[in-house]
Amino acid sequence: MDALISLGWLGIGLLLNEAVDVSPWLARRILHWAAHRLPDINEAREYEEEWTALLDERPGKLLKLVYALTFILPALQMRRASLGRLSWPRRLARRHVFLWSGPRMIWSMSFLGLTSMGLQMIAERIPAGPEHDPLFYWLSVPASTLMAYFSLGMMTATHVLRRQKRLAAAGDAEAQHEVDLWYGERGAPCR
C-alpha cells in the first residue's frame, strides 16, 4: 500500500514538473489565440508581437502562463468592440429596458404580478410540516423571484419615463413622441 502511495506522489510530481515545463509554450499559444481573435490580421500580428515581448519580460514559467491567461478576456472584448457587437450583459439590459418601457410594460406587469401573487397564494395554503416544506419552497421561491423582477422592472420603467421627460423638455422630438404616448397628446383635453 505504501508503495502505491509513493508511486502516486511520484506520478503527481512528474506531472507537475512537466506542466511547469510546458507553461511557456502554452502561454505563447494562448497569446497567439487571443491576438488572432481580432478581425484585422495585421492588427492581430502587431498585438501578438507586443504581447509576446511583454511575456518574455516576465520571470518564471508558471507566471508566464498566468500572465497570458489575463489577455483572453480583453482580446474578446476588443473583438466584440471592433465588430460592433454588444456583450451579453448589455444585451440583457437592453432587453430588460425594452420589456419595461412602452406599451409592453402593461403585459409584463400583468403576467409577472399575477403569476407571482398566484404562486404565493398557493404556497400560503400549503399546510405546515416538514413533509410539505419542499413544495412550499418550490412555489414561494419562484414567486419571490418574480416579484423581485417585477419591482426591478417598475424601477426601470420609472427611470426610462423620467429620462424621456427630460429629453422631451430639452427638445428631442422622439422623446416627446414617447412621452405623448404615455401621458396623452400635449394640449389634448383630459376626458
Side-chain angles (χ1 to χ4, degrees):
M1 185 67 169
D2 288 336
L4 287 176
I5 293 174
S6 298
L7 282 175
W9 283 112
L10 178 66
I12 290 173
L14 289 172
L15 285 174
L16 287 176
N17 186 33
E18 195 63 32
V20 168
D21 289 340
V22 170
S23 294
W25 173 82
L26 186 58
R28 289 184 187 283
R29 297 301 307 159
I30 289 171
L31 286 181
H32 175 78
W33 180 86
H36 287 274
R37 296 306 95 196
L38 300 174
D40 184 14
I41 192 70
N42 295 326
E43 191 176 87
R45 288 181 184 143
E46 290 174 15
Y47 273 109
E48 183 180 5
E49 290 173 11
E50 181 181 337
W51 292 347
T52 304
L54 289 171
L55 182 72
D56 291 338
E57 294 174 3
R58 301 291 177 257
K61 295 179 180 178
L62 284 176
L63 183 62
K64 288 183 180 186
L65 179 60
V66 171
Y67 185 69
L69 289 172
T70 63
F71 284 93
I72 293 174
L73 185 61
L76 293 175
Q77 290 172 342
M78 289 168 57
R79 175 184 175 84
R80 191 176 298 120
S82 66
L83 293 175
R85 295 183 184 158
L86 292 175
S87 63
W88 71 266
R90 288 184 190 259
R91 285 194 313 264
L92 184 64
R94 283 195 176 176
R95 287 182 185 142
H96 172 75
V97 169
F98 175 77
L99 180 67
W100 287 99
S101 61
R104 296 165 297 279
M105 185 179 111
I106 304 299
W107 296 106
S108 304
M109 284 174 41
S110 300
F111 174 74
L112 289 176
L114 292 174
T115 304
S116 65
M117 286 189 299
L119 287 173
Q120 195 61 40
M121 287 171 57
I122 293 169
E124 288 175 1
R125 295 193 183 275
I126 294 173
E131 65 274 0
H132 299 293
D133 281 348
L135 181 60
F136 174 78
Y137 290 122
W138 274 101
L139 291 172
S140 62
V141 169
S144 301
T145 304
L146 286 174
M147 191 52 75
Y149 185 67
F150 178 77
S151 301
L152 179 66
M154 292 304 295
M155 289 186 290
T156 302
T158 304
H159 175 73
V160 167
L161 287 174
R162 285 182 182 160
R163 187 182 70 207
Q164 292 294 344
K165 280 182 169 179
R166 283 193 306 269
L167 290 173
D172 187 354
E174 186 176 327
Q176 184 61 51
H177 176 69
E178 287 289 324
V179 170
D180 289 342
L181 284 175
W182 275 100
Y183 296 107
E185 295 294 327
R186 223 178 344 186
C190 296
R191 294 181 190 176

